[in-house]
Structure formats: C-alpha cells, structure tokens
Amino acid sequence: MSRVLLWHVHGSWTGSFVAGGHDYLLPLLPDGGPWGRGRCGRAWPDRVREVGVDELAGAAFDVVVLQRPEEAGLVSRWTGRRPGVDVAAVYVEHNAPPEHAARSRHPLAARADVPVVHVTHFNELMWDCGAAPTTTVAHGVPDPGHRFTGELPRAVALVNEPVRRGRVTGSDLLPRFGATVGVDLFGIGTEGLTAADLHPLRDADVRGLGDVAQHELHALMARRRLYLHTARWTSLGLSLLEAMALGMPVVVPATAEAAVAVPAAAGAVGTSVAGLVEGARELAADRERAATAGAVARAHVLEHFGLPAFLRDWDDVLGAAVAGRPLPRPQRAGAGAPVYHPT
C-alpha cells in the first residue's frame, strides 16, 4: 500500500482511481479552485483525505500522481520535494494530443525521471513523449448494473460546454441527429440550449437539460433509447463507457480510441455522419434491437474496462514507481491491443 498525492481533476477518473487500496491525499485550498478542490463533496472512501496546502510540507506520501504540467512546480513549492527527484512520480495524460497529433511533443518529454501513463493506447501512439518512459493503463469504470429501459425513443448525449468546445466535441453534429431523432443533452453549460445555439438546423429537436449529479444522471440516461457520442477528437470518454455499462446501445464516430474500443454490434460506429444518423434512427425505432446492442455494449465494457483490472494495473504502476523500477506493461491489454491470428 502506498500513500498517494494527487489532485481531483477529472471526477469520474478520480473516483475509479481512489477505489483502490492505497491512502490518497488531495490538496485543499480555502477557495477551492483548480489547484485545491479536495474531495468536492464526493462520497469517496475515508482513506481519501483532504490536506490543506499549508499542511502538505509535513505530510507523508510515497508517490505523486501528476495530471497537469503546473502540478510538479506546486509540489516543489508546497512540500519542498521535487517530483521524480526527491519523491517518486508518474504523470497521467488524460488527453489526446492537440493540434497536429503526430508532431505534438508532450510537456514532460524531456523528463526521463517521470514516466507518462496514458489512458488510451491511441494517446500513447500519438504523443511524442521523448525521453519519458511511457505505458498505458486503460480506463476502468465501476459496474452500475444493467439499468437500460429505453422507454423514451430519444438519444441522450453528455457534453460539457458544448458551445465553447464546438467541433472538437462534435456539438455541431447534435442538430444533424436531432433532425431525425430527438436528442436530450446534459452537461455543464447546456441548460436551456437548443439546436439554434449549435447549427443552422435551428428547428432540430435538441433539448439542453443542464448539469446533473452522476447518481441521478445514470437513471435519466438509461430511460433513453440510445447514447450519442459525437466527439471528433478526444480521449475515450468515460461517459461513453458508463453508458455502455448501463446496457445502452451507442452511436459513435470511429475516431481516436473509440475506433477500436467500441464494437460495431454495440450500436453504430463509423465515420459517415449520414450512416451514424441512420443508425441512431434505427435504434430509436426498435427498442428490442436497441436492447440487444446494449447488451453487447455492456458485456464489452465489463470485459475490457472493468474496475478490478484497472486497479490491479495501477497497483503495478505505483509499486514500480515507488520501488524505482521501470514501469510495467499492463497485463490488461485493453480493447486497443492487436489481435494475432495464427496461420
């Protein structure tokens, strides 16, 4: 068991990570903010403790899990210990590389002393990490149970700040679907949003329903006939995996890791917008077909993205980091690994 210092950056990922058997310290500032959110009221285990920034210098921890380039400097300033030099550290890269992927150099590319842990195989393939050792620990999601009912013949999508993030999240595609299948949109910055805010198809059926807590959101999602994932360029969205775990069929552009992480039988996967719209229409029109695809989606997520395997992989990574050993290749190859067929 290790004592792990990390920031609460991505709620769903952090929730899975702190379900492990370690002690976890989360920096806390009086005004919260991006560098001191603490638990943010999450119902996490007692071994996840908030530590005031003024207490960190005297806090005992074995390894730092960095997630943003600025965090290494904060650790040095707040604790007097340099990540990768005075205390073991790893850097979790949550994002696909921006702009030109094949030429994107990672912020830690010059640091041979801080390994980079990617959350998808695609990200590890595309980022130029230079001297930094790399590995991939694919996402893990807790099993919410098979909750799909699909009594509402509508699609549901989860996008935070869809107007600001635009084409990256595929927000402009939502009205394309909404012209054929009603779309209910949840997330930060969606309250009262309509198709007119996203696309010239102003009369398409898109309803922005606001930001909802996860424990309420899953029940709302499962009543819809299908989950719509429109992101053009992103890491593999945890909300997509959670929808699949609920037993929902999914409609997904075949970009980045989603191209190999989502089986076609789970709904509709492709690069033709017209084809994806047609796939959504067919699922919305046939609840039995949607339920069958959703069962495939759920089985796939439980096999490839289950929480126990995620935590075992992280035990291996943290153990290696604390001991000063090279990072292991995870035993869980994940859905992005090649499959070899003997001749």
Side-chain angles (χ1 to χ4, degrees):
M1 183 178 74
S2 299
R3 291 161 296 187
V4 184
L5 175 64
L6 78 154
W7 274 263
H8 175 186
V9 179
H10 298 284
S12 292
W13 183 89
T14 307
S16 291
F17 183 78
V18 301
H22 305 278
D23 290 329
Y24 307 91
L25 306 181
L26 302 180
L28 181 67
L29 287 166
D31 58 352
W35 311 112
R37 299 176 64 195
R39 294 169 60 114
C40 241
R42 301 286 180 127
W44 289 335
D46 291 342
R47 59 181 173 270
V48 185
R49 296 192 295 113
E50 296 177 333
V51 180
V53 167
D54 56 348
E55 303 174 71
L56 277 176
F61 53 91
D62 305 305
V63 59
V64 182
V65 174
L66 305 168
Q67 300 171 76
R68 295 166 291 185
E70 299 88 349
E71 292 176 359
L74 291 178
V75 173
S76 297
R77 189 157 68 248
W78 290 348
T79 73
R81 284 166 276 184
R82 295 165 295 173
V85 179
D86 305 311
V87 62
V90 298
Y91 187 103
V92 179
E93 181 50 70
H94 291 283
N95 300 314
E99 304 305 332
H100 196 299
R103 291 199 293 265
S104 290
R105 189 161 172 84
H106 196 273
L108 267 69
R111 296 285 302 266
D113 54 351
V114 180
V116 176
V117 182
H118 295 277
V119 299
T120 73
H121 298 285
F122 180 86
N123 290 0
E124 184 176 8
L125 170 69
M126 299 307 292
W127 272 109
D128 175 6
C129 286
T134 65
T135 192
T136 294
V137 176
H139 285 310
V141 295
D143 182 2
H146 192 289
R147 301 174 66 179
F148 172 75
T149 59
E151 71 262 30
L152 301 178
R154 299 178 63 82
V156 60
L158 273 61
V159 184
N160 287 327
E161 300 183 81
V163 175
R164 181 183 67 82
R165 298 169 72 197
R167 285 182 57 82
V168 172
T169 55
S171 304
D172 60 299
L173 298 176
L174 293 168
R176 295 276 299 273
F177 287 91
T180 301
V181 177
V183 178
D184 292 333
L185 177 62
F186 293 92
I188 298 169
T190 65
E191 183 72 38
L193 183 143
T194 69
D197 299 303
L198 303 171
H199 192 277
L201 288 172
R202 302 175 62 87
D203 296 327
D205 184 2
V206 176
R207 304 188 308 192
L209 300 178
D211 193 25
V212 178
Q214 186 185 57
H215 67 280
E216 301 173 5
L217 184 60
H218 282 173
L220 294 170
M221 291 167 60
R223 296 185 63 210
R224 273 69 183 177
R225 187 69 50 85
L226 64 120
Y227 181 81
L228 177 59
H229 180 76
T230 56
R232 286 185 172 91
W233 187 252
T234 183
S235 282
L236 187 61
L238 279 167
S239 59
L240 169 62
L241 298 180
E242 290 166 356
M244 294 170 69
L246 290 168
M248 298 190 71
V250 294
V251 174
V252 186
T255 61
E257 189 78 359
V260 294
V262 182
V269 184
T271 55
S272 164
V273 176
L276 292 172
V277 169
E278 176 60 17
R281 186 197 65 77
E282 292 176 356
L283 290 167
D286 188 339
R287 186 187 175 283
E288 183 175 347
R289 178 174 181 169
T292 298
V296 172
R298 174 171 163 77
H300 184 80
V301 161
L302 295 182
E303 178 181 358
H304 293 286
F305 300 99
L307 188 59
F310 170 83
L311 294 174
R312 286 195 300 270
D313 281 351
W314 268 108
D315 285 346
D316 292 344
V317 167
L318 294 173
V322 171
R325 301 191 306 267
L327 259 63
R329 301 308 302 179
Q331 296 183 17
R332 179 177 59 123
V339 177
Y340 298 98
H341 299 285
T343 57

